[in-house]
Amino acid sequence: MNKSISRRHFLATTAATGAFVTLHPFSAMAQTNQAHLRILSTTDLHVHVHPYDYYADKPIDTVGLSRTASIIEEVRAESTNSILVDNGDFLQGNPMGDYIAYERGMNEGDMHPVMQAMNVLGYDCGTLGNHEFNYGVDFMDKVVKGAEFPMICANFVKSLGSNAGKDDTFLKPYTILERDITDGSGKTHSIKIGLIGFLPPQIMNWDKRHLEGKFNARDILQAAKGWVPEMKEAGADIVIALSHSGISSEPSFEGQGNAALYLAGVDGIDALVTGHSHLVFPSEAYADTDGIDLAAGTIQGKPATMAGFWGSHMGLIDLMLERSGDEWRVVTTESSARPIYERVDRTNIPLVEDVQMVLDATRDVHEETLEYIRRPVGMTDTALHSYFALVADDPSVQIVSQAQTWYIEQMMQGSEWEGIPILSAAAPFKAGGRGGPEYYTDVAPGPVAIKNVSDLYLYPNTVRAVLINGAQVKGWLERSASIFNQITAGEQDQVLLNPEMPSYNFDIMDGVTYQIDLTHPPKFNRGGEVINAGSNRIVNLQYNGAPIDPDAMFVVATNNYRASGGGNFPGTGDTIIFEGPDTNRDVIVRYIVEKGTINPQADANWGFAPVPDTSVIFETGPAGIGYADSVEGVNIEAAGEGADGFALYRIQL
Ligand code: MN
Ligand code: MG
């Protein structure tokens, strides 16, 4: 596609909207020899070109470059001079990305839909994120070759040099755009805009199988200090860092993944586009981070932005530049992030419309992706349902646990934690409750399609591993067991479940065996506070057929919500040893694709401790009746109708 033609087309479209445009104050106020330069940025698009949730197989208003592109039109019109950049993590992260990688493939000369969209929109520069390596370096290289703009990265290297700045980088470490810029009096001057890109060096662990022995990653700060002086020597008037790296106030260390705070302190860097954390900057999310001035939108005094994820926001940095002699310098700055939707009363209201050109340019791939998500990618020998997930070991949770264990095993290889036993914690997300009597996972035996995976894993969580001891494992399970009411021995039809407790806080742990003694009161309340310190519901907790050693260490695979303290579980909050960049959902898809046929038969590794002459009742979806007999390790019988369309079941403890 010819860039100048597509650009002209874009500008014509902009003019055709005829919207009344208010100039940004920098553009309105600029004097002779002053110029307003606006940097527009996207980050962490993860192949979200169309406003479509391919897992749910329905349109959605919270994602899509076609929506973000509307903001591009707006903000370009508000400023005299602008450039548009992307900050990485563009080629993986939704089924469209998987479709290209696993099905259609990238042959030499093929265009990737994200590149197609970016070319149409006239991007000026892009960098790599950590996810660009998920499908291998050859794949990434072919995608990047489609860019009709410079693609840069200063710290992904073919080989490390004697020092930073001497590395043999895979892409050009930086680029210097020579542009005409219009000043406040309407005169044009030339300016050299330097751009340099960085990614988290952790790619060497996360995509070890693609990178080990062939490539390397340089520390972000080292790379910056190595290359920025060269950019200044080459005449860059300003230097903008494309930092596919988040903002964290943890102390600086070599190999730091979220290094934007310290990168901002590097001499010569004037502004930072950040990302990787899937958050928004400036925003209250960073109210407590040292070195940040939220009102000014700066990190260590440098303007910065982070544009959310999946196209949710457009990042904006506004620079008022002043010219003296032949050189430009930054005098005033502003930064912000503009959303594509707002949330009102639990509903997402779109704030922009689609840019049709972006949809048109990628329509074929979108339609092929729809076929792909509806087509089987694997087989299951077992029905994957959650009707009895709260009362017995269950295939819908088992598949999640198996995929997490499979993934974390790979990630622990070669790490200091290799060899430590791996357990996996997962909870049923779709288990009736306030969702109603149809709100259950239910995938029949046979073919599994990608869209079924959203049914198995509802939330876009990312994988984490924590390192905890046997006592914490028991505490974790005690916390889970607070979903059950206390049961009196010898009484019949006692209500089993506490309706106040959401199912997502009922973690099952795979890799250990245990029983829950319901005759004791719960140790924890709904908020995770200890209410009965002396009570122990978890009994016969065993690892490898022997009682668990309270001091023995375990790696537990889980998600970011739980690992960071969600639900207030013992052993979480400060025990994270591994932060996976992958969503649990992607891990499940990969597991199914790679295994071909899965058999997540529940292994009844947990159950209720027997209580003679005692029964409990609980509600589940009426469609569960067909599965009641096949649930292992517990005797479930129908007990009539429940409330609000639910069905009642009985268990003889
Ligand atoms: Mn990302
Ligand atoms: Mg199990």
Side-chain angles (χ1 to χ4, degrees):
M1 188 176 296
N2 181 301
K3 183 172 181 176
S4 61
I5 291 172
S6 59
R7 261 222 214 214
R8 212 171 306 134
H9 182 144
F10 184 81
L11 295 173
T13 312
T14 309
T17 62
F20 186 78
V21 172
T22 312
L23 275 184
H24 185 274
F26 288 3
S27 275
M29 291 164 8
Q31 308 285 308
T32 304
N33 282 330
Q34 286 187 331
H36 174 208
L37 175 64
R38 175 164 256 194
I39 301 142
L40 288 61
S41 63
T42 49
T43 191
D44 297 274
L45 288 173
H46 291 280
V47 211
H48 289 84
V49 179
H50 286 241
Y52 203 83
D53 179 345
Y54 295 100
Y55 284 114
D57 199 1
K58 63 174 193 219
I60 185 173
D61 288 320
T62 56
V63 310
L65 181 57
S66 65
R67 298 284 172 92
T68 336
S70 288
I71 305 178
I72 300 175
E73 295 190 26
E74 262 172 62
V75 299
R76 270 183 179 151
E78 292 163 0
S79 58
T80 318
N81 311 285
S82 65
I83 61 167
L84 170 60
V85 300
D86 181 74
N87 199 43
D89 272 10
F90 51 81
L91 64 65
Q92 181 278 346
N94 76 357
M96 185 185 272
D98 282 349
Y99 164 69
I100 303 287
Y102 297 141
E103 286 269 318
R104 197 203 75 180
M106 283 292 297
N107 292 313
E108 212 66 55
D110 279 354
M111 284 295 291
H112 192 279
V114 173
M115 281 304 167
Q116 228 149 6
M118 288 185 186
N119 287 340
V120 162
L121 292 167
Y123 272 70
D124 294 283
C125 185
T127 193
L128 303 177
N130 49 294
H131 280 285
E132 265 62 85
F133 303 89
N134 292 164
Y135 304 128
V137 175
D138 276 358
F139 181 90
M140 177 271 282
D141 191 37
K142 285 175 193 150
V143 174
V144 163
K145 285 201 168 103
E148 293 168 2
F149 48 87
M151 286 293 300
I152 55 170
C153 181
N155 67 328
F156 176 58
V157 307
K158 290 189 271 189
S159 61
L160 291 168
S162 53
N163 52 49
K166 296 250 180 357
D167 296 335
D168 184 11
T169 55
F170 185 84
L171 299 176
K172 288 203 177 92
Y174 62 84
T175 189
I176 295 177
L177 305 175
E178 297 192 29
R179 292 289 158 95
D180 286 337
I181 190 169
T182 304
D183 77 5
S185 68
K187 251 180 93 177
T188 58
H189 309 269
S190 67
I191 183 169
K192 288 184 171 178
I193 304 168
L195 294 138
I196 179 166
F198 306 97
L199 49 68
Q202 282 75 10
I203 56 166
M204 296 307 296
N205 294 329
W206 295 333
D207 276 303
K208 184 186 284 178
R209 62 186 177 143
H210 296 305
L211 301 176
E212 195 170 39
K214 293 177 241 169
F215 300 95
N216 225 318
R218 168 78 73 178
D219 172 75
I220 291 175
L221 286 195
Q222 285 178 13
K225 288 171 184 162
W227 294 109
V228 170
E230 189 177 304
M231 298 171 75
K232 297 305 285 183
E233 267 167 47
D237 290 294
I238 58 168
V239 172
I240 300 156
L242 304 187
S243 160
H244 190 88
S245 171
I247 308 160
S248 164
S249 53
E250 65 185 346
S252 180
F253 59 92
E254 184 165 345
Q256 190 167 28
N258 290 312
L261 180 67
Y262 305 102
L263 187 60
V266 171
D267 274 351
I269 290 180
D270 295 291
L272 294 94
V273 175
T274 71
H276 181 58
S277 309
H278 292 203
L279 293 172
V280 174
F281 186 88
S283 81
E284 286 305 315
Y286 291 101
D288 299 325
T289 312
D290 294 338
I292 281 175
D293 183 338
L294 269 192
T298 56
I299 307 176
Q300 296 215 48
K302 310 279 178 71
T305 186
M306 191 190 299
F309 62 104
W310 302 357
S312 66
H313 293 71
M314 169 62 62
L316 291 175
I317 297 174
D318 289 287
L319 303 177
M320 181 69 118
L321 303 174
E322 203 164 82
R323 186 166 168 266
S324 62
D326 279 345
E327 288 179 5
W328 291 94
R329 66 186 180 88
V330 178
V331 285
T332 324
T333 72
E334 266 182 18
S335 54
S336 57
R338 233 179 255 196
I340 64 168
Y341 71 96
E342 64 182 339
R343 200 158 166 78
V344 181
D345 298 334
R346 312 186 82 197
T347 309
N348 297 319
I349 313 286
L351 297 170
V352 291
E353 291 179 358
D354 287 305
V355 171
Q356 196 58 39
M357 264 171 32
V358 174
L359 299 181
D360 291 347
T362 54
R363 180 163 311 286
D364 290 354
V365 186
H366 172 64
E367 272 156 21
E368 288 158 30
T369 305
L370 293 180
E371 280 174 40
Y372 171 71
I373 57 161
R374 296 166 185 167
R375 204 189 319 145
V377 289
M379 297 281 291
T380 177
D381 288 346
T382 317
L384 304 172
H385 66 85
S386 65
Y387 293 107
F388 302 103
L390 299 178
V391 300
D393 197 27
D394 166 274
S396 74
V397 177
Q398 189 76 22
I399 174 72
V400 174
S401 269
Q402 283 176 358
Q404 286 179 175
T405 302
W406 169 82
Y407 175 86
I408 290 298
E409 268 168 7
Q410 297 172 55
M411 294 298 135
M412 291 297 114
Q413 276 164 27
S415 79
E416 60 185 287
W417 303 286
E418 185 173 357
I420 298 177
I422 295 172
L423 312 179
S424 184
F429 292 147
K430 286 178 84 176
R434 287 180 192 152
E438 270 100 51
Y439 194 64
Y440 291 87
T441 300
D442 194 352
V443 180
V448 182
I450 302 266
K451 59 181 286 189
N452 296 136
V453 172
S454 67
D455 210 25
L456 294 174
Y457 207 98
L458 206 57
Y459 304 107
N461 291 333
T462 45
V463 183
R464 296 284 184 275
V466 295
L467 181 67
I468 63 176
N469 63 27
Q472 288 168 312
V473 168
K474 179 176 173 296
W476 193 308
L477 294 171
E478 290 284 357
R479 168 75 180 95
S480 280
S482 52
I483 196 169
F484 302 114
N485 293 323
Q486 185 177 4
I487 298 308
T488 309
E491 286 186 15
Q492 308 308 314
D493 286 358
Q494 302 173 69
V495 175
L496 176 64
L497 297 167
N498 175 353
E500 302 263 284
M501 292 276 302
S503 70
Y504 60 77
N505 275 340
F506 183 61
D507 270 1
I508 302 303
M509 242 194 248
D510 227 39
V512 286
T513 57
Y514 56 100
Q515 290 178 307
I516 300 171
D517 184 344
L518 298 171
T519 61
H520 298 294
K523 192 187 277 287
F524 295 90
N525 69 6
R526 169 167 204 277
E529 288 136 9
V530 175
I531 44 171
N532 297 297
S535 181
N536 293 293
R537 295 184 133 184
I538 302 300
V539 295
N540 300 326
L541 175 58
Q542 300 193 335
Y543 173 73
N544 250 349
I548 200 165
D549 174 357
D551 296 324
M553 297 310 288
F554 296 87
V555 170
V556 180
T558 178
N559 61 47
N560 60 309
Y561 169 76
R562 178 72 71 241
S564 58
N568 203 9
F569 277 58
T572 65
D574 56 359
T575 52
I576 297 174
I577 54 162
F578 174 81
E579 299 198 18
D582 297 293
T583 62
N584 300 63
R585 214 145 59 177
D586 283 344
V587 167
I588 296 167
V589 171
R590 244 189 261 172
Y591 179 74
I592 296 173
V593 169
E594 294 208 8
K595 296 281 170 191
T597 297
I598 52 167
N599 185 6
Q601 195 114 50
D603 53 8
N605 67 304
W606 71 275
F608 299 121
V611 189
D613 302 324
T614 307
S615 66
V616 292
I617 50 167
F618 65 97
E619 288 180 332
T620 188
I625 187 72
Y627 299 117
D629 286 345
S630 63
V631 180
E632 296 278 326
V634 59
N635 258 331
I636 298 173
E637 59 190 53
E641 278 179 33
D644 304 322
F646 282 94
L648 215 51
Y649 290 84
R650 178 181 299 112
I651 294 173
Q652 302 288 347
L653 295 174

